[in-house]
Structures are given as C-alpha cells and as structure tokens.
Amino acid sequence: NVTGSQHTNGYADLAAVIPELLSRIEIVRGPFSVLAGNHAVGGSVQLFTEASPRTSVSVSGDRFGRVRMVPIANLALGPGQWLIAADLTRGAGSARQGEAARHNLFPRVRMPLGEGIASVRLQAYDARADAPGYLDLQRIRAGSLDPRAALSPGIGDAKRQQLLVAQWVSNAVEGSGEGAGGGWFVSFHANRDERRRWSNFDLSTPAGTSAPLGAERDRLRQLGFDVRRTLTGTLAGSPAQAMIGLQWNDERVDALNFATDGARLPTGAVGIDRLVETRTRGAYLQAQWAP
C-alpha cells in the first residue's frame, strides 16, 4: 500500500498481480495484526504466491480482439528452484477507446540456506491503457450517448514498476512442535513505481471531441526490511504464541498534476508539485493465547 499517492492514503494497485501464480488468499476482518500495518483500518488481504506452480502456457482472447498469454516455467537448476512467469496482454477492449498493452515479467528463485529457505524475486511491469473516461449516466440512460463511447481522446493511464524482494524463513516455522517451536522471518524490499493518469472531468464535453486533459504523475521509491522471531508453546496447558520484530520502511513520492492535450503532451503550468517522504521505524510485539 502506497502512503503518498494523489488518489488516497493507502492506495493499492493490484494490476501487477498474476492470478495464475496465487496459491491462496487470506482475508482478515478488522485491524487484528501488526503485520498488516497502519492501513488496515477495516481489515486486510494477503496474497500468497504458489511455492511450486505447474509449468504451463495459457492463451486467451475475447471477441473485441484482446489477447492474453501467460507462460509459466518451474525448473530445478542447481540448488535452487526457479520460477519464471510472464503476463503478456495486448488489444482493444469493449470500449471504442480501450486499447491496452501489458508486459509483466516475474522471475523467482528459492533455495536452502543455512537452517532455512531463501528466496529472491523480481518483477518488471510495464503497461499502458486507453480508457473511455467518465461518462454521464443520465445521457446514457436517455439514449443520447453510446455506453461504448470515449469522452475524449487521450484518456487513459500508464504504469512502470521494478520490484525486488529477498526473504529468508527458518525451517522451524511458526506453529511447529508441541514445545517451544517457532521461527525466524527476514525480508528486504526495494521498489520503484511510476504511475501516470490522463482524464477529462468535464462531462458536458461532446463525446469523442478533443478537450484539455488533467494529467497526474506519481513516482515512488521505496526501501525497507522486516525481521521477526516467533515462539510457539503452551501457557497453562493451552496453545500460546508470541512474535517480536523490527520494521523499517522509507517511501519517497514526488507528484505532479498538470494539463495536457489529446496526444498527452503538456499544455499548461504545473498545478500540483509536491514531495512526500514517509519513514516508518518500529518495534512490535504480538501475542495470542487460545484457552
């Protein structure tokens, strides 16, 4: 979740997720865990990548001409297990202005290291999309506006992201053993994410005509780590668990807002030019007991 987005504090973009790689999704209702962070005011969602997905290639398309290909290779090379996956999408959508292109590469390697398992994963994501923009619902219901029409040329968005995550998890995983089981978890992440958006907020503009567009650009640089130790045992004859950890995260977001034309070229002065730096350093302790 991004702290300094122009859209909202805690904005999250799931476009870079490749659904074929997910093993499970966990949903927690309520802010019950320190692991979810300060954006989990109503709950949290965690997505887990499959440890050893099946090697495959899938191709899909629709009647509007959009094609999506997802190759997945899961290989044992040397001491490591290598996963290389991609999401390649291109073509028009249901709207007349709905051309999209997405290139999403996801390599990962897992291998034994000491008394645990280490993994390093990268992600390189590059996408752009045209969109019809905001349409007047009353005009659509009245039949004076085609629901597939584009409000103005140039409306759309683009995103480019490079992500590195390195982790190490000890073999003594959380919840193991009848006695004082437990485990270590160490994670480091570095992220660069640039998002651009072009839109026309004037609903009175005749559909399909050129109009000045508002452009937004958010550029995020993020660096951080998380180290924690979990102990599992019994208390008064009932299961108990304690987790203690350290967290550090540094985010730097510079944001611009300016006017552009239908070709997405700047035409006016910058309306918003701001820099948001957020540094989070914390120690946490969480315990649970199930009598």
Side-chain angles (χ1 to χ4, degrees):
N1 293 68
V2 179
T3 302
S5 170
Q6 292 188 58
H7 290 277
T8 181
N9 187 35
Y11 170 78
D13 186 358
L14 299 181
V17 175
I18 302 177
E20 288 83 353
L21 298 181
L22 298 182
S23 61
R24 72 184 192 276
I25 300 174
E26 290 187 1
I27 299 175
V28 177
R29 295 181 180 178
F32 297 128
S33 175
V34 297
L35 300 180
N38 61 341
H39 295 303
V41 293
S44 62
V45 178
Q46 290 193 44
L47 310 178
F48 292 85
T49 309
E50 182 70 57
S52 185
R54 182 171 55 90
T55 298
S56 64
V57 176
S58 64
V59 180
S60 60
D62 60 33
R63 64 187 180 92
F64 300 107
R66 183 167 297 179
V67 178
R68 179 174 182 261
M69 182 171 66
V70 181
I72 300 174
N74 187 23
L75 308 170
L77 296 176
Q81 189 73 22
W82 289 81
L83 167 65
I84 303 175
D87 178 355
L88 308 174
T89 302
R90 193 174 188 88
S94 59
R96 291 198 180 99
Q97 182 173 314
E99 183 74 20
R102 178 171 63 236
H103 305 93
N104 191 4
L105 179 64
F106 183 91
R108 184 195 67 192
V109 59
R110 300 174 75 246
M111 66 181 64
L113 180 63
E115 297 296 324
I117 299 293
S119 66
V120 177
R121 70 176 185 265
L122 302 171
Q123 186 154 22
Y125 181 90
D126 191 349
R128 62 167 183 82
D130 296 326
Y134 296 98
L135 296 179
D136 191 331
L137 182 59
Q138 298 302 321
R139 292 165 64 191
I140 292 176
R141 287 175 172 172
S144 62
L145 184 62
D146 187 341
R148 295 181 61 233
L151 188 60
S152 298
I155 293 175
D157 60 74
K159 176 183 171 74
R160 183 170 293 174
Q161 181 178 15
Q162 300 87 38
L163 172 65
L164 166 68
V165 179
Q167 292 182 339
W168 183 80
V169 182
S170 66
N171 290 328
V173 297
E174 293 87 345
S176 64
E178 293 292 333
W184 284 95
F185 174 86
V186 181
S187 178
F188 167 83
H189 62 270
N191 183 30
R192 185 184 184 278
D193 186 352
E194 182 173 320
R195 300 179 304 280
R196 295 175 180 265
R197 178 173 177 250
W198 299 268
S199 187
N200 176 13
F201 301 98
D202 186 2
L203 298 182
S204 64
T205 302
T209 61
S210 180
L213 303 178
E216 295 176 347
R217 191 213 68 192
D218 284 358
R219 184 183 296 152
L220 165 69
R221 296 175 179 87
Q222 187 178 25
L223 196 67
F225 68 83
D226 185 9
V227 179
R228 64 177 177 262
R229 168 74 163 151
T230 303
L231 298 174
T232 301
T234 58
L235 178 63
S238 297
Q241 190 176 70
M243 177 178 61
I244 184 170
L246 295 172
Q247 246 179 20
W248 177 79
N249 186 62
D250 190 309
E251 290 183 7
R252 179 187 176 98
V253 179
D254 60 275
L256 293 177
N257 195 310
F258 50 92
T260 63
D261 57 18
R264 300 180 178 177
L265 299 175
T267 60
V270 173
I272 294 177
D273 184 359
R274 68 179 185 182
L275 175 64
V276 178
E277 293 184 345
T278 305
R279 294 182 177 89
T280 303
R281 300 173 178 86
Y284 57 88
L285 171 66
Q286 180 168 289
Q288 53 187 350
W289 179 46

